[in-house]
Amino acid sequence: MSQATEPLLRVRDLEIAFKVRGGEVLANRGVSLDVAAGETLGLVGESGSGKSVLCRAILRLLPSPPARTKRGRVLFDGTDLVTLPEARLREIRGTDIAMVFQNPMTSLSPVWPIGDQVTEGLRIHRGMNRIEARERGIALLQSIGIPEAARRYDDHPWQWSGGMLQRAVIAMAMACSPRLLLADEPTTALDVTIQEQILALLTDLQARSGMAMVLVSHDIGVVAETCDRIAVMYAGMLVETGPAAEVFGRPRHPYTLGLMRSSPRMDEHAERLQPIPGQPPDLAKLAAGCPFVDRCAFAREDCRHAPVALREVAQGHASACLFPEAVR
Amino acid sequence: MWVFRFVGLRLVQAVPVLLGISLVAFLAIHLVPGDPVRIMLQGRASDAAVAEIYARLGMDRPLLVQYARFVGRAVTGDLGTSIIQRAPVATIVGERLVPSSFLLVYATLLSVLIAVPLAVWAAARRNRLADHLIRLGGTVSFAMPSFWIGLILILGFGLTLKWFPIAGFGRGFGGHLHHLFLPALTIALFLAPLLIQSLRAAMLDAMTAEHVEVARAKGLSESRILFKYVLRAASIPVVTILAVNIGWLVSGSVIVESVFSVAGLGMLLVHAVSTRDYPVIQGLTLVFAVMVIGTNLLADLAYALIDKRVRAE
């Protein structure tokens, strides 16, 4: 494995369609992105921009029908997950790639003990018996900040708070030492005070294990704190990607700028927050041209017609805006 | 142990229910229009004979005294004496209780054995051919009246193939199993479609739960997800359906009992009602009530076994 040159995850031109009454809606429209080993990619965008769909599509978790991968490849360590047989894919799920979901309260089955669910991957993938798995599971829960883990191993999910459950869910994802963690809005359902703890835990785990992480959030502040690189999604497309410092220091897409100006943490000097006007477009009725055009302060006539695609604006920094220099 | 506490609590809660039912059963005689004793004797009785029966049954005393005596005796197992059969109601009911309970348990087990695999199969292959066939078969089987299914089974497995007896209760456990197979199957062919429908729907619902997606992301196989997570979560509504229907079948299996000449409680009830044998009707009402309460208790226990949250309450 040539770590230096080859990214761990390469998504290429991924197009995900959902069947709806009377046709199809594209939830991902030609998404391409790389995640290098050990790096943290922040995936931001409004609700419905396709972030969660992208995460689930990587692990092929979308129910089909209605979802369908129309085009594209998801290369993990050189293996195309889109065409991989189900049995091979199952060996990758939970071992090489793990996922943490938004709502810890519903991420665990209410009828089985927490510890049993946390260590299930170890028993399935690593062939551990219950005793070995229990031992490892207790250590895992301890390392993730659960006090009295041995006593609480057999608790049921309803006995734990949301923050503790999210820790358990993270422990479950970490059980088989994944190389890539997909964290889909892992802090959204939690109290603000707990959010910080969970984020700190995730970054700490990443530093210790050296895994790569895709951190999905609609909160640009969350992503700015923790991520090496940023990918901004809008209407099923990536509209800007680049190193975090670059993207937030000098955004080259008006949507990124809009997100920053509407976020309280990002622009502390601003006297008042500026919301992005309008609503995201209806994905079923997208016309040619830039999908952001109707909400954009910099829009010109060309934006309505010219096809948009990510183009490099600086080293490692790409924008899908036709006039990236105008954005400021 | 949580089981004792759980069962004890439920039994205490059952006392007022039983008292209420006993009151209704007791009052049944007095709520029926006309003189109950004359109706029982079908009008061919002298005033002296009527008065004698009134005195014998204690019906000449105030209602409250009668009710207290009724409850007091019922608690000790004395349900009075049948007017028609001139034997203790407890003995008559007791004799009929065994075949009826046997049939009920047998039919329930058979229904579950039929329903669970088919429901799992239908849910796993939803909207494919197997699913459609199972649902269609269930609807047909459910729509056919019990007496008709019973007759068809008698004709096919009893008279033509001669695999199973077509009437009676048989001797010994094996004999009971053999004799009651066709009646139990008749009930199961009515009950199983209900279970299939509800279990399939509950499973499809449970499959959309987020923890199922999480389990899939862990790399679990579909069959493990189905049996460990989906089936378990889906079984709770099915236990409810099962409990309600068993409660109904306690007295509702009369058609099956008469088609297969099983001397059970259902037949006894019909006979008692048609001859206005009020002590028997009262006794049966209490026995049915106890059986329904017992069924609900078992259902509650099942909930607690499936989902520990119920125990914590």
Side-chain angles (χ1 to χ4, degrees):
Chain A
M1 197 173 61
S2 48
Q3 245 180 358
T5 54
E6 190 84 331
L8 183 63
L9 178 77
R10 286 191 301 161
V11 178
R12 284 291 169 271
D13 202 19
L14 193 65
E15 210 169 274
I16 307 290
F18 279 81
K19 204 184 279 179
V20 293
R21 210 177 338 180
E24 276 187 335
V25 166
L26 289 179
N28 275 188
R29 302 188 299 142
V31 173
S32 298
L33 59 78
D34 291 345
V35 182
E39 92 169 334
T40 306
L41 176 75
L43 193 57
V44 289
E46 283 162 291
S47 311
S49 58
K51 305 169 307 232
S52 294
V53 168
L54 176 57
C55 277
R56 284 167 170 78
I58 290 171
L59 272 178
R60 246 164 66 193
L61 290 174
L62 294 166
S64 172
R68 185 166 71 93
T69 304
K70 288 186 79 173
R71 254 188 323 138
R73 288 181 298 167
V74 175
L75 298 167
F76 179 77
D77 205 5
T79 311
D80 189 356
L81 303 184
V82 173
T83 54
L84 201 65
E86 186 71 26
R88 292 269 318 277
L89 186 66
R90 280 205 298 272
E91 291 166 12
I92 290 179
R93 286 178 185 158
T95 57
D96 287 321
I97 308 178
M99 188 156 171
V100 173
F101 292 77
Q102 179 169 344
N103 191 346
M105 307 300 262
T106 55
S107 284
L108 293 167
S109 161
V111 298
W112 296 106
I114 293 168
D116 174 87
Q117 298 185 61
V118 167
T119 57
E120 197 169 14
L122 292 170
R123 281 177 282 134
I124 298 284
H125 297 298
R126 301 284 186 251
M128 285 192 188
N129 61 33
R130 277 187 184 276
I131 300 161
E132 294 166 339
R134 186 187 187 91
E135 205 169 292
R136 179 84 189 91
I138 289 171
L140 208 56
L141 287 175
Q142 255 157 5
S143 75
I144 231 111
I146 301 293
E148 296 185 87
R151 192 174 60 78
R152 314 211 61 169
Y153 186 85
D154 293 310
D155 281 359
H156 282 71
W158 81 88
Q159 295 167 295
W160 286 22
S161 68
M164 277 173 73
L165 281 178
Q166 195 61 307
R167 284 174 190 271
V169 171
I170 291 169
M172 185 162 80
M174 295 301 295
C176 295
S177 315
R179 287 195 282 161
L180 172 65
L181 182 69
L182 305 172
D184 185 7
E185 307 251 7
T187 61
T188 305
L190 303 173
D191 289 346
V192 182
T193 48
I194 311 290
Q195 287 185 0
E196 294 292 335
Q197 294 176 14
I198 295 294
L199 276 181
L201 173 66
L202 282 172
T203 29
D204 176 49
L205 283 172
Q206 190 193 17
R208 276 194 274 161
S209 67
M211 68 179 176
M213 179 159 80
V214 174
L215 181 63
V216 178
S217 182
H218 65 272
D219 184 346
I220 204 164
V222 163
V223 174
E225 281 171 29
T226 39
C227 297
D228 307 321
R229 278 199 318 125
I230 303 297
V232 183
M233 233 176 151
Y234 186 77
M237 296 174 60
L238 289 183
V239 293
E240 183 163 7
T241 63
E246 279 246 6
V247 170
F248 293 133
R250 172 93 173 80
R252 301 299 185 95
H253 195 284
Y255 180 61
T256 315
L257 188 66
L259 280 180
M260 289 167 59
R261 288 196 174 152
S262 59
S263 161
R265 291 199 232 179
M266 282 305 290
D267 203 344
E268 284 164 9
H269 313 295
E271 301 205 333
R272 61 170 61 199
L273 301 174
Q274 298 173 12
I276 306 175
Q279 296 290 321
D282 183 346
L283 289 176
K285 294 176 190 148
L286 277 181
C290 177
F292 191 62
V293 63
D294 289 333
R295 307 171 75 185
C296 182
F298 312 95
R300 302 176 193 181
E301 193 47 37
D302 281 356
C303 299
R304 299 203 171 271
H305 312 292
V308 287
L310 278 179
R311 282 172 306 154
E312 195 153 81
V313 290
Q315 178 67 37
H317 186 176
S319 163
C321 185
L322 285 174
F323 307 104
E325 295 309 319
V327 178
R328 53 180 70 241
Chain B
M1 275 289 281
W2 67 270
V3 180
F4 296 117
R5 227 169 50 89
F6 189 86
V7 172
L9 197 70
R10 290 295 190 282
L11 286 180
V12 170
Q13 286 167 351
V15 170
V17 178
L18 269 176
L19 273 178
I21 290 168
S22 71
L23 188 63
V24 173
F26 168 74
L27 287 178
I29 289 187
H30 302 279
L31 293 176
V32 179
D35 185 326
V37 173
R38 284 187 192 281
I39 293 171
M40 270 187 256
L41 300 177
Q42 291 167 335
R44 291 185 298 263
S46 65
D47 287 350
V50 171
E52 192 265 324
I53 291 182
Y54 261 99
R56 180 149 58 87
L57 295 180
M59 285 169 70
D60 49 351
R61 315 275 293 276
L63 271 186
L64 211 61
V65 175
Q66 288 184 44
Y67 176 63
R69 223 164 52 125
F70 175 72
V71 171
R73 282 180 173 176
V75 167
T76 60
D78 177 4
L79 297 174
T81 309
S82 162
I83 295 168
I84 308 297
Q85 301 192 38
R86 297 189 180 279
V89 172
T91 315
I92 301 175
V93 170
E95 280 169 6
R96 305 297 191 98
L97 190 61
V98 177
S100 272
S101 319
F102 198 100
L103 179 59
L104 201 60
V105 173
Y106 198 0
T108 304
L109 291 179
L110 220 49
S111 317
V112 171
L113 281 179
I114 295 172
V116 171
L118 287 178
V120 171
W121 195 17
R125 319 239 60 187
R126 63 191 165 287
N127 293 330
R128 312 245 189 105
L129 187 64
D131 183 25
H132 291 307
L133 286 180
I134 289 168
R135 291 164 71 189
L136 182 71
T139 309
V140 170
S141 157
F142 181 69
M144 284 206 286
S146 292
F147 70 87
W148 174 251
I149 293 184
L151 291 177
I152 295 289
L153 291 179
I154 286 178
L155 216 60
F157 293 105
L159 299 179
T160 310
L161 294 169
K162 296 190 191 308
W163 288 355
F164 297 99
I166 59 170
F169 184 42
R171 290 174 152 275
F173 188 74
H176 298 336
L177 278 183
H178 194 207
H179 274 77
L180 290 185
F181 180 78
L182 291 185
L185 186 61
T186 307
I187 295 175
L189 286 178
F190 155 82
L191 193 51
L194 283 174
L195 299 181
I196 292 174
Q197 282 292 358
S198 59
L199 184 55
R200 175 186 173 278
M203 284 184 75
L204 291 184
D205 192 39
M207 277 178 197
T208 64
E210 202 176 29
H211 69 254
V212 168
E213 194 179 28
V214 174
R216 202 168 282 133
K218 271 198 288 192
L220 306 190
S221 66
E222 288 304 309
S223 61
R224 189 180 171 98
I225 291 172
L226 209 58
F227 285 101
K228 180 168 177 180
Y229 292 98
V230 176
L231 191 57
R232 178 119 171 182
S235 51
I236 288 177
V238 179
V239 169
T240 308
I241 300 270
L242 198 59
V244 169
N245 278 283
I246 292 174
W248 180 80
L249 279 172
V250 164
S251 59
S253 56
V254 54
I255 292 171
V256 174
E257 284 183 5
S258 59
V259 168
F260 289 93
S261 312
V262 178
L265 294 177
M267 296 244 305
L268 181 63
L269 178 67
V270 170
H271 189 69
V273 168
S274 63
T275 57
R276 307 288 199 283
D277 196 345
Y278 283 106
V280 174
I281 296 175
Q282 287 179 329
L284 279 174
T285 307
L286 288 184
V287 169
F288 288 155
V290 170
M291 286 173 79
V292 170
I293 288 171
T295 307
N296 286 341
L297 178 65
L298 285 179
D300 281 345
L301 258 179
Y303 296 143
L305 286 174
I306 294 167
D307 189 340
K308 284 198 176 170
R309 267 175 298 185
V310 180
R311 285 179 222 178
E313 278 168 15

